[in-house]
Amino acid sequence: MPRSIRNPRPMSLPATVRAPSSVLALIAEAGADPQDPISNGPTPVALRHLRGTLLGEAIQSGFHATMRSDGHAFEIEPLVPDGREQAAMELLAELLPVIGPSTMSFVSGLGVFTGERLTSAYAAATPGLVYVSESLLGDRLETADAILHECLHQKLAEIELTRRVLRNGYRDEDAHHIVIPWGGPGRTFSVDRSLGAFHVYVHGALLHLAAVDRSHPDIDADDLDARLGIRWSRAAFFASALATAESQAELGPDGRRLVRWLTELNDQLGRCGDLSGRTLSSARGGLG
């Protein structure tokens, strides 16, 4: 089951669901509330008072509307953050001091939730907000990766507003779909979603390489190598899948340039070594 759900395409919301702009306004008001922790750096504000509030109800309605639109029935319940999410954001900024803060700056708020089978998410109906599950928070690097992952979806959604990433008239339901060799049989991603995943996995590999370089103590060496290998190998898969004629036909000129840039970057990462001394390109894994 995918960890992250994104749907940047326009959608109709039920009358009971607030428009994205009003959710953004509520998030901005929450960020100004002295009861909510505000970071000194460009990181999302950890939203605290969501249960039983207007903001919490609007966020949950918008999230569940996106899930229903995507054919899922994920349910989430807000929790009060306990500071571990802030520690993960600090780690992200430490390991990627340029990319981490600049990517987090695209997001205004971060909600901590509990929900079955979902560890993190970005939802189109609640732009400017990302979600992490309490189940991740005991692993600071995994939480940092999840926050980077979801903030990258917001960044790409904003890029798509001003750049010709997809062809004119693109629609997910009509687009070429790529068969994904992990996550269960018959799983496919549209080209738009595949591009988002490619964007995420390249950055996730870079984050884990930084953890390797710093000999990060939070997890053991074998686990760190395995996580790094999965992210690099999946990025390499999308590099190949998005280079086909069918995929390229779904992209606009900026989308094709983005694929070339991500491919070049991932090729460079593939020449780097993990903690065992193997280059990433020689230790492919994570596609089953």
Side-chain angles (χ1 to χ4, degrees), residues 133-172:
S133 169
E134 182 190 34
S135 65
L136 283 186
L137 295 179
D139 186 326
R140 198 162 60 119
L141 182 59
E142 187 75 3
T143 306
D145 181 77
I147 291 170
L148 176 64
H149 178 142
E150 305 308 341
C151 290
L152 284 165
H153 286 325
Q154 177 67 46
K155 181 176 183 178
L156 187 57
E158 294 190 29
I159 290 171
E160 289 181 340
L161 294 174
T162 58
R163 298 285 185 173
R164 295 174 63 192
V165 174
L166 302 167
R167 64 170 172 80
N168 291 337
Y170 175 94
R171 296 195 316 162
D172 263 2

Side-chain angles (χ1 to χ4, degrees), residues 45-59:
V45 174
L47 302 173
R48 297 183 61 186
H49 304 287
L50 297 181
R51 190 182 297 276
T53 66
L54 186 62
L55 174 62
E57 291 172 2
I59 287 173

Side-chain angles (χ1 to χ4, degrees), residues 6-271:
R6 68 183 290 270
N7 178 12
R9 307 269 64 79
M11 57 181 286
S12 306
L13 299 181
T16 56
V17 177
R18 287 175 169 268
S21 59
S22 65
V23 175
L24 278 173
L26 286 168
I27 292 170
E29 291 172 11
D33 187 336
Q35 298 181 71
D36 279 316
I38 305 235
S39 166
N40 291 327
T43 59
V45 174
L47 302 173
R48 297 183 61 186
H49 304 287
L50 297 181
R51 190 182 297 276
T53 66
L54 186 62
L55 174 62
E57 291 172 2
I59 287 173
Q60 289 181 86
S61 295
F63 177 91
H64 294 142
T66 295
M67 295 304 106
R68 288 191 296 272
S69 176
D70 281 352
H72 300 287
F74 295 126
E75 296 288 329
I76 58 171
E77 292 292 336
L79 300 173
V80 176
D82 59 15
R84 288 180 292 171
E85 75 296 328
Q86 185 63 40
M89 289 189 276
E90 290 169 0
L91 177 63
L92 175 53
E94 174 193 334
L95 293 177
L96 298 180
V98 175
I99 293 173
S102 68
T103 302
M104 286 189 286
S105 71
F106 282 86
V107 172
S108 302
L110 181 147
V112 177
F113 290 85
T114 182
E116 185 180 358
R117 296 186 301 163
L118 190 68
T119 54
S120 70
Y122 166 79
T126 56
L129 175 65
V130 296
Y131 306 85
V132 294
S133 169
E134 182 190 34
S135 65
L136 283 186
L137 295 179
D139 186 326
R140 198 162 60 119
L141 182 59
E142 187 75 3
T143 306
D145 181 77
I147 291 170
L148 176 64
H149 178 142
E150 305 308 341
C151 290
L152 284 165
H153 286 325
Q154 177 67 46
K155 181 176 183 178
L156 187 57
E158 294 190 29
I159 290 171
E160 289 181 340
L161 294 174
T162 58
R163 298 285 185 173
R164 295 174 63 192
V165 174
L166 302 167
R167 64 170 172 80
N168 291 337
Y170 175 94
R171 296 195 316 162
D172 263 2
E173 54 267 38
D174 301 329
H176 172 64
H177 276 59
I178 294 167
V179 177
I180 306 301
W182 63 86
R187 189 180 185 205
T188 66
F189 282 9
S190 68
V191 166
D192 184 27
R193 186 174 179 186
S194 295
L195 181 58
F198 187 20
H199 191 225
V200 161
Y201 280 124
V202 171
H203 284 79
L206 185 62
L207 175 67
H208 282 72
L209 269 173
V212 166
D213 186 57
R214 302 284 184 89
S215 300
H216 197 271
D218 278 14
I219 58 177
D220 67 48
D222 289 342
D223 195 4
L224 183 53
D225 279 354
R227 295 187 196 187
L228 172 57
I230 286 171
R231 284 156 179 81
W232 187 87
S233 296
R234 291 183 180 181
F237 168 82
F238 283 115
S240 297
L242 288 167
T244 66
E246 295 86 351
S247 294
Q248 290 282 302
E250 302 288 4
L251 298 169
D254 295 312
R256 289 190 285 273
R257 281 196 290 272
L258 180 57
V259 168
R260 286 197 299 272
W261 176 74
L262 289 170
T263 300
E264 291 168 4
L265 176 57
N266 204 55
D267 286 346
Q268 292 180 45
L269 297 180
R271 294 193 285 273

